Amino acid sequence: MYDYLIVGAGLFGSVFAYEAKKRGKKCLVIDKRNHIAGNIYTENIEGINVHQYGAHIFHTNNKKIWDYVNQFTEFNRYTNSPVANYKGKLYNLPFNMNTFHKLWGVVTPDEAKRKIEEQRKASGIRHPKNLEEQAISLVGTDIYEKLIKGYTEKQWGRSAKDLPAFIIKRLPVRFTFDNNYFNDRYQGIPINGYTEIIDKMLAGIDVELNCDFFQNRDRLEGLAKKIVFTGMIDQYYYYKFGPLEYRSLKFETKVLEDTSNYQGNAVVNYTDRETPFTRIIEHKHFEFGNQEKTIITKEYPAEWKTGDEPYYPINDEHNTQTYKKYKELAEQEKDVIFGGRLARYQYYDMHQVIGAALVAVEKEFNPSNS
Ligand code: FAD
């Protein structure tokens, strides 16, 4: 008999398992995949840590979370500074003075501000009705056309005119020569890859891989006093209020034998509409690697249907209302804790998942403090 059955060996489930074990609890962690670590899984191929589920850069402003994750690994000094490729021309991201200089030849922040303001005014948009109008009203037409439109349309599989304005609340525009994508104080890539972090969290804990909760539900539910569930909340309730919708992704990874440096940067976004993928990741550059070969991954956004890998929740009105119904059921459960991106139907960065898992731990083991 276990104290906890933890469904999902991703970051949420693993932090919970580690903390429960520390408190003398016995856990069984299961995952339907053939590996631990969920979406932060990295695999060492040809000496390069390959991010198998897309580029993962750890960043946080929270010292407590930074210290927490550093007990399992050491991070390097990687700074995320992606480059945009629009029809063969390269622009720095996020939108900053380097981008504005390349777009318009402007030299000072005032010149850049004037240029954006001119374009915003010329558009005449006062009350944006869709994502296109919202973006133009925030940053003007040039940035929108070259750096936002195609990328966003590929990501959502729809015209920006048919997407709601609320998707873009604000767009970070920086009037300094600073290509650092994140504003956070702490940032980096774990030196031996992300899988090692989860490996250490799960040390000494029973783990069963290739084990789908729903295919073994009766057996598994009888094994533990409580369940920590990090799978899809709608599936947990047999989709009784209908399925929650997602966008999916397809990854195409290649080892390149003939070049040691394909694109000179870890992340290059392709912002035109015609190129079918949104970005190319060159994994070695996350770790300043100097191996003889290189490995790249093309990331293609994809429609999602039940059974596909769910990546990005679609938090529109319909799905928000559906999720609310599942959440009400979940809140009534005494012996099931729902956590992580799939059970909360929410996009979480890694630091947010760790934070949420530590809150769940506090609530479970120290209820009077939480
Ligand atoms: P997951 O990692 O998905 O873990 C859930 C686990 O549960 C999975 O292993 C799954 O197989 C298992 N499971 C589900 N259902 C069942 C079942 N029925 N039976 C058994 N097991 C089951 N965050 C950052 O901070 N920085 C980034 O740069 C970043 N980049 C990202 C890029 C992409 C493309 C994506 C998709 C996400 C990115 N993230 C990033 C977010 C990061 O991946 C998540 O925060 C984190 O992986 C979520 O952990 P989790 O435990 O909630 O979910």
Side-chain angles (χ1 to χ4, degrees), residues 7-14 30-33 35-40 53-59 80 182 194 211-214 229-232 235 249 251 279 299 309 311-312 339-342 347-353:
V7 180
L11 192 53
F12 188 98
S14 303
I30 64 154
D31 205 295
K32 65 180 177 184
R33 296 180 182 171
H35 59 76
I36 57 166
N39 281 357
I40 67 171
Y53 298 89
H56 278 75
I57 300 110
F58 197 96
H59 60 98
N80 190 27
F182 298 118
Y194 286 95
C211 176
D212 189 319
F213 175 72
F214 298 104
F229 184 79
T230 75
M232 288 159 61
Q235 193 177 10
L249 292 170
F251 299 104
R279 48 186 183 170
E299 190 173 309
E309 200 58 64
Y311 284 104
Y312 297 110
R341 64 183 194 99
L342 297 168
Y347 178 83
Y348 277 125
D349 271 329
M350 291 176 276
H351 63 284
Q352 295 168 313
V353 176

Side-chain angles (χ1 to χ4, degrees), residues 71-82:
Q71 67 181 300
F72 302 103
T73 189
E74 195 184 331
F75 281 81
N76 69 13
R77 58 153 188 87
Y78 181 79
T79 300
N80 190 27
S81 37

Side-chain angles (χ1 to χ4, degrees), residues 233-333:
I233 190 167
D234 50 353
Q235 193 177 10
Y236 186 88
Y237 289 111
Y238 302 103
Y239 304 104
K240 66 188 287 181
F241 304 123
L244 292 164
E245 295 165 309
Y246 287 88
R247 282 290 285 167
S248 196
L249 292 170
K250 299 264 180 294
F251 299 104
E252 193 183 279
T253 297
K254 271 192 201 144
V255 178
L256 304 182
E257 309 278 345
D258 302 335
T259 174
S260 61
N261 188 1
Y262 176 75
Q263 61 184 15
N265 204 36
V267 183
V268 177
N269 290 0
Y270 284 74
T271 57
D272 65 297
R273 185 71 178 89
E274 293 72 31
T275 306
F277 44 86
T278 44
R279 48 186 183 170
I280 300 182
I281 310 304
E282 188 170 7
H283 302 269
K284 71 184 333 179
H285 295 309
F286 285 123
E287 303 187 45
F288 320 106
N290 50 18
Q291 298 84 353
E292 277 174 21
K293 296 177 190 172
T294 193
I295 301 180
I296 60 164
T297 300
K298 290 181 180 165
E299 190 173 309
Y300 296 82
E303 287 294 328
W304 176 87
K305 54 183 183 336
T306 309
D308 290 347
E309 200 58 64
Y311 284 104
Y312 297 110
I314 300 179
N315 298 103
D316 61 10
E317 190 52 29
H318 170 70
N319 288 305
T320 303
Q321 288 310 322
T322 309
Y323 171 65
K324 234 170 116 182
K325 293 184 200 161
Y326 288 119
K327 185 168 171 257
E328 276 164 18
L329 286 187
E331 280 166 356
Q332 287 158 30
E333 304 277 358

Side-chain angles (χ1 to χ4, degrees), residues 21 27 199-207:
K21 178 171 183 272
C27 301
D199 228 3
K200 288 190 181 163
M201 286 178 180
L202 296 179
I205 294 171
D206 291 350
V207 177

Side-chain angles (χ1 to χ4, degrees), residues 122-137:
S123 77
I125 298 164
R126 289 254 187 90
H127 306 288
K129 291 189 296 297
N130 54 45
L131 187 144
E132 173 164 302
E133 294 187 0
Q134 172 76 344
I136 294 173
S137 75

